[in-house]
Each structure stands twice: as C-alpha cells, then as structure tokens.
Amino acid sequence: MHKSIVDSGVATGLLAYLHGEVVDIASTGDGYYLLGKDGGVFTFGHLPFLGSMSGQLGTDATALRATSTGYVISGLNGGEWTCSGGCVQTQAPTVLT
C-alpha cells in the first residue's frame, strides 16, 4: 500500500518551502518532480535535485518536463531553463512589441 504525501508527513515539509501553488508534475520510473509557481522544484522518490529557479524567473512557471539528463522549466513568458546540475536559460522569453 502506498502512502500519499499527506499521509507520510511530506506535505508538512513541502509547505514550509513552497511559495505559491504547484503548477505541474513530471514523473519518471524513479519518482516525480513537482514545480511551484515561483519556479521551485521538489523531488520525490529516487530522483536527484538538479537545480531550481525559485523566485528567479521574472514570471510564473507554467510547465516542467523530465529529460534524460534532468528537467526543463517553462515560464509564462516563453522562456525555458534546463536543469541538470544547475539551471541555465536555454530559450529566451518572448518579447512582445
């Protein structure tokens, strides 16, 4: 029988670090990642933490996708940040004129 994050007490610890709501989840065979609206990433299972953009996006985070080397955070402004032991911007935000 599997416990939920609420039953296991993980939710209490998560709430201490989560600044806003969870906007996306990405799962792999080893666990899953949660993405906070501020760009924070939380890992569960046997997945390593590979970086976060918490409070550094300049926009809301909207999506998270797992890759073979880590994960990609997408922002509301069209920007993307690839995290695989630190995060680097791999797609510039869209500039509307």
Side-chain angles (χ1 to χ4, degrees):
M1 181 167 112
H2 295 286
K3 290 184 174 182
S4 73
I5 63 170
V6 173
D7 294 336
S8 66
V10 172
T12 303
L14 175 63
L15 292 176
Y17 296 99
L18 184 62
H19 304 286
E21 58 198 52
V22 172
V23 295
D24 203 5
I25 184 170
S27 64
T28 72
D30 295 325
Y32 58 97
Y33 301 105
L34 294 180
L35 176 65
K37 187 175 183 178
D38 70 340
V41 176
F42 304 89
T43 62
F44 295 90
H46 297 286
L47 296 173
F49 175 77
L50 299 170
S52 174
M53 291 301 295
S54 181
Q56 302 174 55
L57 294 179
T59 189
D60 290 341
T62 58
L64 178 75
R65 71 177 182 276
T67 67
S68 61
T69 59
Y71 41 87
V72 177
I73 300 168
S74 297
L76 184 62
N77 63 3
E80 288 190 344
W81 294 262
T82 299
C83 304
S84 57
C87 297
V88 295
Q89 188 171 25
T90 51
Q91 180 170 311
T94 303
V95 178
L96 299 176
T97 57

